[in-house]
Amino acid sequence: MTTRDPRVPGLARLAALIADETRAACLLALLDGRAWTAGELARHAGVAASTLSEHLSRLVAGGVLAEERQGRHRYVRLADARVAQLVEDLAAQVAPGEAVRPRTLREASAGSAMARGRTCYDHLAGRLGIAVTDALTERGLLRQDTGFALTDAGVEWFGRVGIALDRSGRRPLARGCLDWTERRPHLAGVAGAALCRHALEAGWCVRVGSERAVVVTAAGEREFFAVLGVSVEGVR
Amino acid sequence: MTTRDPRVPGLARLAALIADETRAACLLALLDGRAWTAGELARHAGVAASTLSEHLSRLVAGGVLAEERQGRHRYVRLADARVAQLVEDLAAQVAPGEAVRPRTLREASAGSAMARGRTCYDHLAGRLGIAVTDALTERGLLRQDTGFALTDAGVEWFGRVGIALDRSGRRPLARGCLDWTERRPHLAGVAGAALCRHALEAGWCVRVGSERAVVVTAAGEREFFAVLGVSVEGVR
DNA sequence: CGGACACTTCGGCGACCGCCGAAGCATGGG
DNA sequence: CCCATGCTTCGGCGGTCGCCGAAGTGTCCG
């Protein structure tokens, strides 16, 4: 043992927080960007409330989750966009070859809704996310060939459509997030989040069920075509 | 427990591979992009050869490492650039606030060499990496304000300087990699790797010691200034 | 061909971790 | 005011994991 990298203990500790099936299930669930109560997560993960309580404490202490207490409820969410990105990246690394085929019709149906459109933390994913990302690219608003960035025309487009881009933070304006089902990058970062938020607020899409799945509304179909020229035929 | 995400077991298993101090030490060491023998890693991590052998087997089985047997040696390296990026991202997430101050003069000296210039898997990092990234940005060859991508002028620049960019693979041409010591992104991806390789091959910088540290040569100082207008004063 | 060397396999030890249910403690509703 | 609800703490159990040294296998070199 020579000069040890000082990051070793921290890296191992962070990975250990994710290295448990119950905690991993929580993190993936929390990728929907919303805050869950401890009880919801316990039921979701299929463990006793007492067990999950301890898991949450460790995740919060490790800076992976942020918590907010309201009355007798303990709400938790992913600490920030960086953590979300990290979990997504880790999960994406795993996906190839490990994709599990749905066993029941119910699962197949839910899975396909997720494949059509869903949120990934705070931006659009699935075929919907890819369709939007491709449309932006084809119209010269986003460049993926030399990296992953909006063009000047792209920045202008967001302003014209009425979607504000907060450029004050440290979060990149645009970045690629590898899509779990499509195996291609979709738009994430400030622009991806703003676009998703706008689409939900303006009623272009709505969430379905308690999962992360979203579907495009009739109005959304018109709007997506109007502003992006994207036909969401294959997406609905 | 409702519909469980199929990625849960894979995510937990992948994280578990990193969630051990000995394995984490190996992964961080392997971030230098070179292949290490099992014995070197065992000494580096401070454990018995038998212990490390088992760790390597698990990392290889998990797809994190690639191995190559040569005679009585077992060489291992990170499986690919994606794994390297993942380890870097995880380590970067940890760094804030956990930075450990060097205790001895020797450590301080080694640490500062690493801070000046080093490789991060296959591209330049440290103050050197940041200086190059900043120079590219200032000259309009790289855009960081709307994402992270080369400009057309940037692609042309690589050709003019004589650095070939392999655009056939799936790896992005440019991407930001958060610098551990500088806390800002430096150039990674195909372009970052090609630039680093060129700098080492052309003698602009040389590796020092057995670590990842690199220093700029006198010739390199002239060349970096000639092609990028970057003064490496503060870097040497 | 024999010994040095690098790595692997095996058995066994100790530590840690995740799990549960029971009991305790707040909160909010009837 | 009392009970249901949501969460937390605790003790204890079982499984896994990392570690080592000893013994075994394969390779290289003289």
Side-chain angles (χ1 to χ4, degrees):
Chain A
M1 176 161 59
T2 54
T3 24
R4 270 281 280 267
D5 194 310
R7 295 173 295 174
V8 168
L11 173 57
R13 225 176 308 136
L14 174 58
L17 288 176
I18 313 176
D20 171 82
E21 290 221 0
T22 299
R23 287 194 294 264
C26 292
L27 293 175
L28 287 174
L30 288 164
L31 269 186
D32 67 358
R34 292 179 292 185
W36 292 49
T37 68
E40 285 169 345
L41 286 172
R43 280 187 295 278
H44 176 79
V47 296
S50 58
T51 300
L52 204 109
S53 174
E54 287 167 358
H55 284 308
L56 291 187
S57 297
R58 293 184 59 175
L59 289 169
V60 169
V64 173
L65 299 187
E67 75 179 350
E68 202 172 328
R69 310 239 176 188
Q70 271 180 29
R72 55 185 173 185
H73 291 282
R74 178 194 207 178
Y75 284 95
V76 293
R77 53 184 164 72
L78 296 180
D80 54 39
R82 281 199 56 194
V83 170
Q85 185 69 43
L86 213 44
V87 174
E88 266 297 326
D89 285 348
L90 277 165
Q93 175 73 24
V94 158
E98 297 221 22
V100 176
R101 295 269 152 249
R103 307 288 167 112
T104 68
L105 195 58
R106 179 181 210 83
E107 282 173 25
S109 161
S112 121
M114 291 285 276
R116 278 198 297 274
R118 64 177 184 277
T119 51
C120 168
Y121 189 53
D122 59 4
H123 52 272
L124 296 173
R127 286 208 295 277
L128 174 59
I130 292 290
V132 169
T133 302
D134 284 354
L136 287 168
T137 306
E138 277 162 26
R139 303 195 94 197
L141 309 174
L142 177 69
R143 284 196 78 163
Q144 297 188 53
D145 59 336
T146 58
F148 204 100
L150 289 182
T151 60
D152 292 324
V155 174
E156 193 201 329
W157 178 88
F158 273 83
R160 202 165 57 238
V161 177
I163 305 177
L165 296 176
D166 175 15
R167 305 180 71 165
S168 63
R170 299 178 61 99
R171 192 176 180 195
L173 203 54
R175 75 172 290 175
C177 172
L178 191 59
D179 196 284
W180 159 45
T181 50
E182 298 296 311
R183 309 278 168 87
R184 291 170 47 204
H186 57 242
L187 176 66
V190 168
L195 181 55
C196 175
R197 211 179 128 219
H198 183 80
L200 285 170
E201 285 179 354
W204 296 3
C205 13
V206 290
R207 293 190 182 277
V208 289
S210 60
E211 297 283 329
R212 284 170 289 161
V214 298
V215 295
V216 178
T217 62
E221 200 166 339
R222 286 193 303 274
E223 285 299 320
F224 273 123
F225 187 81
V227 299
L228 274 176
V230 59
S231 163
V232 285
E233 276 304 314
V235 172
R236 293 201 69 184
Chain B
M1 176 162 59
T2 54
T3 24
R4 270 280 281 266
D5 194 309
R7 295 173 294 174
V8 168
L11 173 57
R13 224 176 310 137
L14 173 58
L17 287 176
I18 312 176
D20 171 81
E21 290 219 1
T22 299
R23 288 194 295 265
C26 292
L27 294 175
L28 288 175
L30 287 164
L31 269 186
D32 67 358
R34 292 178 291 185
W36 292 50
T37 67
E40 285 169 344
L41 286 172
R43 281 187 294 277
H44 176 79
V47 296
S50 59
T51 300
L52 204 109
S53 174
E54 287 167 358
H55 283 309
L56 291 187
S57 297
R58 292 183 61 176
L59 289 169
V60 169
V64 174
L65 298 186
E67 75 178 352
E68 202 173 327
R69 310 240 176 186
Q70 272 181 27
R72 54 186 172 184
H73 292 281
R74 178 194 208 177
Y75 284 95
V76 292
R77 53 183 163 73
L78 296 181
D80 55 39
R82 280 200 57 196
V83 170
Q85 184 70 44
L86 214 44
V87 174
E88 266 297 326
D89 285 348
L90 277 164
Q93 176 72 26
V94 159
E98 297 221 23
V100 177
R101 295 271 152 248
R103 306 287 165 112
T104 69
L105 194 59
R106 180 180 209 85
E107 280 172 27
S109 159
S112 120
M114 291 286 276
R116 278 199 296 274
R118 64 178 183 276
T119 52
C120 168
Y121 188 53
D122 59 4
H123 53 272
L124 296 174
R127 285 208 295 277
L128 175 60
I130 292 290
V132 169
T133 303
D134 283 354
L136 288 168
T137 307
E138 276 161 28
R139 304 194 93 197
L141 308 173
L142 177 68
R143 284 197 77 164
Q144 297 188 54
D145 60 336
T146 58
F148 204 101
L150 289 182
T151 60
D152 291 324
V155 174
E156 194 201 328
W157 179 87
F158 273 83
R160 202 167 55 239
V161 177
I163 305 176
L165 297 176
D166 175 15
R167 304 180 70 164
S168 64
R170 300 178 61 100
R171 190 176 181 196
L173 203 55
R175 75 172 291 175
C177 172
L178 191 58
D179 196 284
W180 159 45
T181 49
E182 297 296 311
R183 310 279 167 88
R184 293 169 48 204
H186 56 242
L187 177 65
V190 168
L195 181 54
C196 175
R197 212 180 126 218
H198 183 80
L200 285 170
E201 285 180 354
W204 297 3
C205 13
V206 290
R207 293 190 182 278
V208 289
S210 61
E211 297 282 326
R212 284 170 290 162
V214 298
V215 295
V216 178
T217 62
E221 200 166 339
R222 285 192 304 273
E223 285 300 319
F224 273 123
F225 188 80
V227 300
L228 274 176
V230 59
S231 164
V232 284
E233 274 305 315
V235 172
R236 292 200 73 185

